[in-house]
Amino acid sequence: MKKSLLAVALAAAPFLANASESNGIGYDYAQLDYTYQDASGPYLNGGTLSGSYSFNDNVFGTASYGKVTDTYNDWFSDARVHVKSEAWSLGVGMNTAIGSRADWVSQIAYVDNDISARVHHDVCPDCNASVNYKGGKISTGIMGRVTDQLTANAYLGYEDYDHGYEGNYFADFGVVYAFNSTWGLHSSLTLADGSDTYNIGVRASF
């Protein structure tokens, strides 16, 4: 509970500041990434489609859908295992100018994640298990224009879900290199307890 209250307080701080324009940093885009998640086995990979839309100079909405899978041999039990994670999210954020080239950004999102596993083993030729995690995440940090073409962000966040999931802090780092006003290359790294998530892909800004 204390962790949750601290996370809410951190992310709510910018909402109390005077809003200003977003310093030329764009919040309108659609993005397609290749996603790799290292959870110390399984090693999930797949794709993520995400986007953001600014309602005005300081408030924007976010959405994402991703699917990652892995198939591996569990040598300890001599089983063939297929794992799938399919998640979507809807959120809202606020950006506040803190300099001529930087914004303070806070976001909150609802997350729904279906995780399933299929096991092929002599004892159980086709065993299945699944769980649907529902909850949310909140983050806050800085996004800035390093150069006219390169934008970078560094966020700290907190996530919590049902089914006995213990709340977890995470750090999110990302860069976007813009080739022109529309197309750019995106890359990000999310570090959390027990998993590292890597994304690389293309962004179309509008």
Side-chain angles (χ1 to χ4, degrees):
M1 178 62 72
K2 291 181 179 179
K3 290 182 178 180
S4 300
L5 291 175
L6 176 60
V8 171
L10 286 173
F15 286 82
L16 305 178
N18 292 325
S20 59
E21 293 187 0
S22 59
N23 299 309
I25 299 173
Y27 294 87
D28 295 302
Y29 65 84
Q31 184 170 287
L32 180 62
D33 285 313
Y34 166 76
T35 301
Y36 172 76
Q37 185 176 69
D38 181 354
S40 300
Y43 302 98
L44 300 164
N45 65 93
T48 301
L49 178 64
S50 60
S52 173
Y53 178 78
S54 57
F55 300 114
N56 54 45
D57 285 339
N58 305 106
V59 180
F60 59 94
T62 62
S64 70
Y65 169 79
K67 182 178 179 181
V68 290
T69 64
D70 184 29
T71 301
Y72 63 96
N73 293 315
D74 186 335
W75 301 111
F76 181 77
S77 61
D78 193 28
R80 184 73 168 167
V81 182
H82 177 74
V83 180
K84 179 179 72 173
S85 173
E86 190 171 1
W88 61 270
S89 71
L90 286 175
V92 65
M94 180 174 177
N95 52 282
T96 301
I98 58 173
S100 61
R101 302 177 70 91
D103 283 353
W104 190 276
V105 181
S106 292
Q107 302 178 67
I108 187 169
Y110 171 81
V111 180
D112 186 299
N113 189 4
D114 283 312
I115 300 176
S116 61
R118 174 173 289 179
V119 179
H120 298 276
H121 189 270
D122 291 341
V123 178
C124 183
D126 192 16
C127 291
N128 296 283
S130 64
V131 61
N132 177 223
Y133 287 104
K134 296 179 180 180
K137 59 183 180 180
I138 190 168
S139 65
T140 189
I142 296 174
M143 178 181 291
R145 290 189 294 133
V146 182
T147 69
D148 289 341
Q149 287 76 39
L150 186 65
T151 303
N153 71 267
Y155 302 145
L156 292 177
Y158 181 81
E159 59 184 355
D160 199 6
Y161 305 97
D162 57 5
H163 296 291
Y165 181 96
E166 294 185 3
N168 188 23
Y169 284 105
F170 63 89
D172 181 54
F173 307 96
V175 294
V176 176
Y177 182 84
F179 298 108
N180 52 48
S181 60
T182 302
W183 295 105
L185 178 66
H186 167 261
S187 180
S188 69
L189 168 63
T190 302
L191 303 174
D193 185 20
S195 69
D196 301 335
T197 303
Y198 304 83
N199 285 287
I200 185 167
V202 293
R203 173 179 293 190
S205 301
F206 53 91

